[in-house]
Amino acid sequence: MSSNVLTMYCDPRRVDSQGQAKVADLVSFSDASGPAPSAVYVERELPPGGTSAYLAARGSGARSFALWADDQRRERVATVVTLSAGSGVARFQVLGAHGEVIGTFMREKALRGRGLRTRWTVHQPGGPEAVGFKGRIVWWWMWWLLLPLMTMVLVISVFDNSPGVGGFARAPRRIRWRANGQVPLEFRSRGDKLHVHAPGVDWRLGAALIALLRSFNAGDAWDSVKK
């Protein structure tokens, strides 16, 4: 199955020749032969209260991102806004450059929404809802069974500085979205890549989705920096 693979890269702070900050985080596309560009640049949009207000709001699940065509913010291609957030359920909307609705996302945290796993719902106007669950049931059972062992490994690593245990202890993260018997989207934890299998998925929706997914990565969320 051919697909467009989206990868998000989070780089250190960058500046131009005049000392102005550039957008450091980007989403690249493996297939730019169609309407999708080779990459778009993503940054969080801060509320009036600045960074501290953003970080306080994101604790409830809220997010706000701008997607740019270039790293100097000359052309906005999309915006991600939070429609509602709280009690483990958050709804997001993706808007185009002129305010048109590109699509909506809903994240229902495990045990807070409608199941034992975190549920992501993606909807593009004119198309069916695609529903995906974080991790496969069998891997979650194995993860819970091995959790005491993994906890011990992590404790030992603190004392002997053993590298490479983070991936061993990480919970299952793969997500496969299904709609009408098809799999239009798939997030693979290996490499943190989003595979867009359905040609009808708007590339801006895909870029917004991987930015959202990566913002909910425990321990390395790209939008949680304090500066």
Side-chain angles (χ1 to χ4, degrees), residues 58-88:
R58 81 181 297 281
S60 66
R63 301 289 192 273
S64 180
F65 307 145
L67 280 68
W68 305 96
D70 62 276
D71 63 0
Q72 296 186 5
R73 307 173 183 84
R74 287 180 290 226
E75 180 185 353
R76 182 188 292 259
V77 297
T79 305
V80 178
V81 298
T82 300
L83 297 177
S84 61
S87 301

mmCIF file of all heavy atoms in Angstrom, residues 58-88:
data_model
loop_
_atom_site.group_PDB
_atom_site.id
_atom_site.type_symbol
_atom_site.label_atom_id
_atom_site.label_comp_id
_atom_site.label_asym_id
_atom_site.label_seq_id
_atom_site.Cartn_x
_atom_site.Cartn_y
_atom_site.Cartn_z
ATOM 1 N N ARG A 58 -2.559 23.709 28.538
ATOM 2 C CA ARG A 58 -2.299 22.405 27.922
ATOM 3 C C ARG A 58 -2.428 21.271 28.934
ATOM 4 O O ARG A 58 -2.622 20.119 28.554
ATOM 5 C CB ARG A 58 -0.929 22.385 27.241
ATOM 6 C CG ARG A 58 0.259 22.158 28.134
ATOM 7 C CD ARG A 58 1.572 22.176 27.373
ATOM 8 N NE ARG A 58 1.689 21.120 26.378
ATOM 9 C CZ ARG A 58 1.995 19.866 26.653
ATOM 10 N NH1 ARG A 58 2.196 19.495 27.905
ATOM 11 N NH2 ARG A 58 2.104 18.967 25.698
ATOM 12 N N GLY A 59 -2.348 21.594 30.223
ATOM 13 C CA GLY A 59 -2.530 20.568 31.241
ATOM 14 C C GLY A 59 -3.916 19.945 31.201
ATOM 15 O O GLY A 59 -4.091 18.788 31.599
ATOM 16 N N SER A 60 -4.900 20.685 30.704
ATOM 17 C CA SER A 60 -6.265 20.157 30.576
ATOM 18 C C SER A 60 -6.501 19.508 29.222
ATOM 19 O O SER A 60 -7.587 18.992 28.961
ATOM 20 C CB SER A 60 -7.284 21.279 30.792
ATOM 21 O OG SER A 60 -7.205 22.238 29.750
ATOM 22 N N GLY A 61 -5.462 19.564 28.349
ATOM 23 C CA GLY A 61 -5.590 18.980 27.018
ATOM 24 C C GLY A 61 -5.660 19.981 25.899
ATOM 25 O O GLY A 61 -5.689 19.605 24.724
ATOM 26 N N ALA A 62 -5.676 21.275 26.205
ATOM 27 C CA ALA A 62 -5.782 22.307 25.177
ATOM 28 C C ALA A 62 -4.473 22.437 24.397
ATOM 29 O O ALA A 62 -3.390 22.264 24.949
ATOM 30 C CB ALA A 62 -6.146 23.644 25.813
ATOM 31 N N ARG A 63 -4.594 22.747 23.115
ATOM 32 C CA ARG A 63 -3.447 22.973 22.240
ATOM 33 C C ARG A 63 -3.798 24.081 21.253
ATOM 34 O O ARG A 63 -4.964 24.280 20.915
ATOM 35 C CB ARG A 63 -3.074 21.712 21.451
ATOM 36 C CG ARG A 63 -2.723 20.492 22.291
ATOM 37 C CD ARG A 63 -1.387 20.649 22.998
ATOM 38 N NE ARG A 63 -0.922 19.401 23.578
ATOM 39 C CZ ARG A 63 -1.249 18.962 24.803
ATOM 40 N NH1 ARG A 63 -2.099 19.684 25.548
ATOM 41 N NH2 ARG A 63 -0.769 17.830 25.283
ATOM 42 N N SER A 64 -2.774 24.780 20.762
ATOM 43 C CA SER A 64 -2.976 25.811 19.750
ATOM 44 C C SER A 64 -1.706 25.909 18.909
ATOM 45 O O SER A 64 -0.655 26.267 19.435
ATOM 46 C CB SER A 64 -3.297 27.164 20.403
ATOM 47 O OG SER A 64 -3.484 28.164 19.420
ATOM 48 N N PHE A 65 -1.814 25.583 17.609
ATOM 49 C CA PHE A 65 -0.653 25.558 16.733
ATOM 50 C C PHE A 65 -0.901 26.382 15.480
ATOM 51 O O PHE A 65 -2.028 26.521 15.016
ATOM 52 C CB PHE A 65 -0.334 24.126 16.264
ATOM 53 C CG PHE A 65 -0.192 23.120 17.378
ATOM 54 C CD1 PHE A 65 -0.625 21.812 17.183
ATOM 55 C CD2 PHE A 65 0.365 23.455 18.599
ATOM 56 C CE1 PHE A 65 -0.497 20.863 18.182
ATOM 57 C CE2 PHE A 65 0.488 22.521 19.608
ATOM 58 C CZ PHE A 65 0.060 21.220 19.402
ATOM 59 N N ALA A 66 0.188 26.891 14.929
ATOM 60 C CA ALA A 66 0.170 27.511 13.605
ATOM 61 C C ALA A 66 1.046 26.680 12.682
ATOM 62 O O ALA A 66 2.114 26.217 13.081
ATOM 63 C CB ALA A 66 0.686 28.945 13.677
ATOM 64 N N LEU A 67 0.589 26.475 11.452
ATOM 65 C CA LEU A 67 1.355 25.765 10.441
ATOM 66 C C LEU A 67 1.728 26.760 9.354
ATOM 67 O O LEU A 67 0.845 27.433 8.787
ATOM 68 C CB LEU A 67 0.555 24.613 9.834
ATOM 69 C CG LEU A 67 0.473 23.303 10.641
ATOM 70 C CD1 LEU A 67 -0.341 23.489 11.922
ATOM 71 C CD2 LEU A 67 -0.140 22.197 9.792
ATOM 72 N N TRP A 68 3.027 26.855 9.064
ATOM 73 C CA TRP A 68 3.549 27.835 8.122
ATOM 74 C C TRP A 68 4.164 27.156 6.912
ATOM 75 O O TRP A 68 4.703 26.047 7.000
ATOM 76 C CB TRP A 68 4.608 28.707 8.790
ATOM 77 C CG TRP A 68 4.167 29.403 10.032
ATOM 78 C CD1 TRP A 68 4.348 28.996 11.326
ATOM 79 C CD2 TRP A 68 3.449 30.636 10.116
ATOM 80 N NE1 TRP A 68 3.794 29.900 12.207
ATOM 81 C CE2 TRP A 68 3.232 30.910 11.497
ATOM 82 C CE3 TRP A 68 2.960 31.547 9.161
ATOM 83 C CZ2 TRP A 68 2.572 32.060 11.930
ATOM 84 C CZ3 TRP A 68 2.303 32.681 9.600
ATOM 85 C CH2 TRP A 68 2.110 32.932 10.973
ATOM 86 N N ALA A 69 4.151 27.860 5.787
ATOM 87 C CA ALA A 69 4.767 27.341 4.570
ATOM 88 C C ALA A 69 6.281 27.465 4.614
ATOM 89 O O ALA A 69 6.984 26.756 3.886
ATOM 90 C CB ALA A 69 4.224 28.083 3.347
ATOM 91 N N ASP A 70 6.801 28.361 5.459
ATOM 92 C CA ASP A 70 8.244 28.557 5.553
ATOM 93 C C ASP A 70 8.610 28.862 6.995
ATOM 94 O O ASP A 70 7.738 29.141 7.831
ATOM 95 C CB ASP A 70 8.696 29.701 4.646
ATOM 96 C CG ASP A 70 8.070 31.026 5.060
ATOM 97 O OD1 ASP A 70 6.921 31.303 4.648
ATOM 98 O OD2 ASP A 70 8.709 31.765 5.828
ATOM 99 N N ASP A 71 9.906 28.827 7.290
ATOM 100 C CA ASP A 71 10.335 28.992 8.685
ATOM 101 C C ASP A 71 10.387 30.438 9.137
ATOM 102 O O ASP A 71 10.744 30.722 10.286
ATOM 103 C CB ASP A 71 11.685 28.309 8.917
ATOM 104 C CG ASP A 71 12.811 28.912 8.085
ATOM 105 O OD1 ASP A 71 12.550 29.865 7.320
ATOM 106 O OD2 ASP A 71 13.959 28.425 8.213
ATOM 107 N N GLN A 72 10.040 31.390 8.261
ATOM 108 C CA GLN A 72 10.008 32.803 8.634
ATOM 109 C C GLN A 72 8.592 33.355 8.720
ATOM 110 O O GLN A 72 8.388 34.563 8.760
ATOM 111 C CB GLN A 72 10.851 33.619 7.648
ATOM 112 C CG GLN A 72 12.333 33.235 7.695
ATOM 113 C CD GLN A 72 13.202 34.123 6.823
ATOM 114 O OE1 GLN A 72 12.739 35.101 6.246
ATOM 115 N NE2 GLN A 72 14.475 33.797 6.729
ATOM 116 N N ARG A 73 7.612 32.461 8.726
ATOM 117 C CA ARG A 73 6.206 32.811 8.963
ATOM 118 C C ARG A 73 5.630 33.759 7.907
ATOM 119 O O ARG A 73 4.800 34.612 8.212
ATOM 120 C CB ARG A 73 6.034 33.451 10.357
ATOM 121 C CG ARG A 73 6.607 32.636 11.505
ATOM 122 C CD ARG A 73 6.545 33.414 12.822
ATOM 123 N NE ARG A 73 7.136 32.687 13.916
ATOM 124 C CZ ARG A 73 8.442 32.687 14.184
ATOM 125 N NH1 ARG A 73 9.270 33.385 13.414
ATOM 126 N NH2 ARG A 73 8.916 31.996 15.196
ATOM 127 N N ARG A 74 6.034 33.577 6.655
ATOM 128 C CA ARG A 74 5.534 34.475 5.617
ATOM 129 C C ARG A 74 4.160 34.058 5.103
ATOM 130 O O ARG A 74 3.412 34.880 4.583
ATOM 131 C CB ARG A 74 6.534 34.542 4.461
ATOM 132 C CG ARG A 74 7.783 35.347 4.795
ATOM 133 C CD ARG A 74 8.739 35.394 3.629
ATOM 134 N NE ARG A 74 9.351 34.100 3.406
ATOM 135 C CZ ARG A 74 10.657 33.928 3.194
ATOM 136 N NH1 ARG A 74 11.470 34.967 3.190
ATOM 137 N NH2 ARG A 74 11.145 32.722 2.994
ATOM 138 N N GLU A 75 3.828 32.771 5.227
ATOM 139 C CA GLU A 75 2.527 32.296 4.741
ATOM 140 C C GLU A 75 1.970 31.234 5.675
ATOM 141 O O GLU A 75 2.555 30.169 5.840
ATOM 142 C CB GLU A 75 2.670 31.711 3.335
ATOM 143 C CG GLU A 75 1.349 31.204 2.765
ATOM 144 C CD GLU A 75 1.528 30.509 1.425
ATOM 145 O OE1 GLU A 75 2.651 30.536 0.885
ATOM 146 O OE2 GLU A 75 0.545 29.926 0.935
ATOM 147 N N ARG A 76 0.842 31.533 6.285
ATOM 148 C CA ARG A 76 0.172 30.568 7.152
ATOM 149 C C ARG A 76 -0.672 29.643 6.286
ATOM 150 O O ARG A 76 -1.443 30.096 5.432
ATOM 151 C CB ARG A 76 -0.718 31.289 8.165
ATOM 152 C CG ARG A 76 -1.433 30.352 9.150
ATOM 153 C CD ARG A 76 -2.428 31.139 9.984
ATOM 154 N NE ARG A 76 -1.763 32.064 10.886
ATOM 155 C CZ ARG A 76 -1.564 31.859 12.183
ATOM 156 N NH1 ARG A 76 -2.022 30.736 12.744
ATOM 157 N NH2 ARG A 76 -0.962 32.747 12.924
ATOM 158 N N VAL A 77 -0.541 28.331 6.518
ATOM 159 C CA VAL A 77 -1.322 27.377 5.734
ATOM 160 C C VAL A 77 -2.462 26.758 6.536
ATOM 161 O O VAL A 77 -3.446 26.295 5.963
ATOM 162 C CB VAL A 77 -0.427 26.265 5.140
ATOM 163 C CG1 VAL A 77 0.573 26.860 4.167
ATOM 164 C CG2 VAL A 77 0.285 25.484 6.229
ATOM 165 N N ALA A 78 -2.337 26.728 7.857
ATOM 166 C CA ALA A 78 -3.400 26.152 8.686
ATOM 167 C C ALA A 78 -3.189 26.556 10.143
ATOM 168 O O ALA A 78 -2.097 26.977 10.540
ATOM 169 C CB ALA A 78 -3.433 24.628 8.564
ATOM 170 N N THR A 79 -4.252 26.405 10.918
ATOM 171 C CA THR A 79 -4.217 26.702 12.344
ATOM 172 C C THR A 79 -4.973 25.610 13.084
ATOM 173 O O THR A 79 -6.039 25.174 12.629
ATOM 174 C CB THR A 79 -4.875 28.063 12.649
ATOM 175 O OG1 THR A 79 -4.253 29.086 11.857
ATOM 176 C CG2 THR A 79 -4.743 28.419 14.126
ATOM 177 N N VAL A 80 -4.433 25.173 14.204
ATOM 178 C CA VAL A 80 -5.102 24.206 15.067
ATOM 179 C C VAL A 80 -5.589 24.945 16.311
ATOM 180 O O VAL A 80 -4.796 25.601 16.993
ATOM 181 C CB VAL A 80 -4.165 23.055 15.473
ATOM 182 C CG1 VAL A 80 -4.882 22.084 16.423
ATOM 183 C CG2 VAL A 80 -3.652 22.309 14.249
ATOM 184 N N VAL A 81 -6.875 24.867 16.591
ATOM 185 C CA VAL A 81 -7.450 25.523 17.765
ATOM 186 C C VAL A 81 -8.187 24.480 18.604
ATOM 187 O O VAL A 81 -8.614 23.439 18.097
ATOM 188 C CB VAL A 81 -8.421 26.660 17.380
ATOM 189 C CG1 VAL A 81 -7.690 27.745 16.608
ATOM 190 C CG2 VAL A 81 -9.589 26.124 16.564
ATOM 191 N N THR A 82 -8.332 24.761 19.877
ATOM 192 C CA THR A 82 -9.068 23.880 20.794
ATOM 193 C C THR A 82 -10.512 24.361 20.903
ATOM 194 O O THR A 82 -10.759 25.525 21.227
ATOM 195 C CB THR A 82 -8.412 23.878 22.180
ATOM 196 O OG1 THR A 82 -7.064 23.411 22.064
ATOM 197 C CG2 THR A 82 -9.163 22.970 23.134
ATOM 198 N N LEU A 83 -11.438 23.471 20.620
ATOM 199 C CA LEU A 83 -12.858 23.796 20.777
ATOM 200 C C LEU A 83 -13.308 23.603 22.213
ATOM 201 O O LEU A 83 -14.105 24.385 22.738
ATOM 202 C CB LEU A 83 -13.704 22.924 19.842
ATOM 203 C CG LEU A 83 -13.461 23.106 18.333
ATOM 204 C CD1 LEU A 83 -14.321 22.125 17.545
ATOM 205 C CD2 LEU A 83 -13.765 24.535 17.913
ATOM 206 N N SER A 84 -12.805 22.545 22.859
ATOM 207 C CA SER A 84 -13.135 22.284 24.259
ATOM 208 C C SER A 84 -12.105 21.315 24.810
ATOM 209 O O SER A 84 -11.533 20.516 24.069
ATOM 210 C CB SER A 84 -14.542 21.699 24.407
ATOM 211 O OG SER A 84 -14.654 20.451 23.726
ATOM 212 N N ALA A 85 -11.878 21.400 26.116
ATOM 213 C CA ALA A 85 -10.925 20.496 26.762
ATOM 214 C C ALA A 85 -11.254 20.407 28.238
ATOM 215 O O ALA A 85 -11.572 21.409 28.882
ATOM 216 C CB ALA A 85 -9.483 20.982 26.574
ATOM 217 N N GLY A 86 -11.172 19.199 28.763
ATOM 218 C CA GLY A 86 -11.447 18.988 30.174
ATOM 219 C C GLY A 86 -11.957 17.583 30.422
ATOM 220 O O GLY A 86 -12.529 16.944 29.532
ATOM 221 N N SER A 87 -11.706 17.073 31.630
ATOM 222 C CA SER A 87 -12.144 15.740 32.037
ATOM 223 C C SER A 87 -11.625 14.650 31.114
ATOM 224 O O SER A 87 -12.291 13.633 30.884
ATOM 225 C CB SER A 87 -13.678 15.679 32.103
ATOM 226 O OG SER A 87 -14.182 16.631 33.029
ATOM 227 N N GLY A 88 -10.441 14.881 30.544
ATOM 228 C CA GLY A 88 -9.826 13.862 29.712
ATOM 229 C C GLY A 88 -10.292 13.826 28.276
ATOM 230 O O GLY A 88 -9.850 12.976 27.500
#
